[in-house]
Amino acid sequence: METLERRRLGGSELEVSELSLGSWRTFERISRESGVAVMRKAREVGINFLDDARYNDETGHAPIPTGHSEVVFGEVFRAAGWKRDEVIVANKALVGFWPEQTAAQELDGSLQRMGMEYLDVAYAAEPPEGMALEQLVSDAADLIEAGKLRAWGVLNWPASLIAEAGHIASDRGVLPPCAAQLHTT
């Protein structure tokens, strides 16, 4: 079977398959066997870029109110036989609980639920009210320096804010956002 091409993800050092496997509201809605089969098929066709998302339970049956999707993702990931150092894992995990949690606390929670030691890419929503963009850029840089994160990206940001974050990162000599997930209508 032909494998997918790999490309560098923005200005990062990450080499990702030209397609990724997203799992927003997926693995907890299908059987474990189906989830494992999906993960194995993705690896078989050459996908090395997996994208998870944490969100609140909508069923009323999850054992925790938020983040159960991360628990299930981690379980399916391991059951499918992925080797952590052979795959790029992304998640939305930087400002969802601010100011109650710092970016580091939020990321640590996601990592614990996923059963992982680091993320390759964390996508950040727009800075919430009261958070300066400089703080978000600094928090992402600190997490990269700490080895908890390899790169960061943005989720549903307007182009002007992405450009501003890039300028701030450049001025500080840190990695700017390397990827953008944009809202589609």
Side-chain angles (χ1 to χ4, degrees):
M1 177 171 284
E2 210 171 297
T3 189
L4 297 172
E5 283 187 38
R6 302 274 168 97
R7 299 179 181 169
R8 206 161 140 202
L9 187 61
S12 76
E13 298 298 320
L14 304 175
E15 293 283 329
V16 298
S17 51
E18 57 192 346
L19 294 175
S20 70
L21 174 63
S23 61
W24 184 63
R25 297 185 167 137
T26 303
F27 292 117
E28 65 278 9
R29 294 180 182 212
I30 61 177
S31 70
R32 181 179 175 95
E33 298 83 26
S34 294
V36 170
V38 167
M39 283 267 196
R40 287 181 176 158
K41 187 64 173 180
R43 187 176 62 230
E44 180 184 314
V45 299
I47 292 175
N48 80 327
F49 191 18
L50 305 178
D51 186 3
D52 188 39
R54 178 202 62 245
Y55 57 89
N56 294 335
D57 175 47
E58 298 170 343
T59 68
H61 303 294
I64 56 176
T66 190
H68 185 63
S69 54
E70 294 169 321
V71 173
V72 174
F73 174 86
E75 290 172 352
V76 171
F77 176 89
R78 286 182 291 283
W82 286 92
K83 293 183 179 166
R84 182 62 187 91
D85 62 348
E86 295 177 356
V87 65
I88 305 300
V89 177
N91 198 0
K92 287 80 175 163
L94 286 184
V95 296
F97 296 118
W98 190 87
E100 291 81 17
Q101 290 184 6
T102 65
Q105 290 168 326
E106 185 175 342
L107 182 58
D108 283 344
S110 289
L111 292 172
Q112 182 179 5
R113 287 186 294 273
M114 296 172 81
M116 296 185 179
E117 294 179 11
Y118 67 94
L119 277 180
D120 296 291
V121 180
Y123 291 100
E126 284 189 56
E129 187 174 328
M131 175 186 261
L133 183 56
E134 291 82 1
Q135 179 181 346
L136 195 155
V137 172
S138 179
D139 288 348
D142 291 347
L143 290 167
I144 291 168
E145 186 175 320
K148 299 272 183 145
L149 192 58
R150 295 178 62 201
W152 69 290
V154 299
L155 178 65
N156 299 329
W157 287 25
S160 60
L161 194 60
I162 297 170
E164 186 179 347
H167 292 303
I168 293 168
S170 178
D171 290 347
R172 294 185 177 196
V174 298
L175 185 68
C178 70
Q181 285 190 358
L182 304 176
H183 181 72
T184 59
T185 55

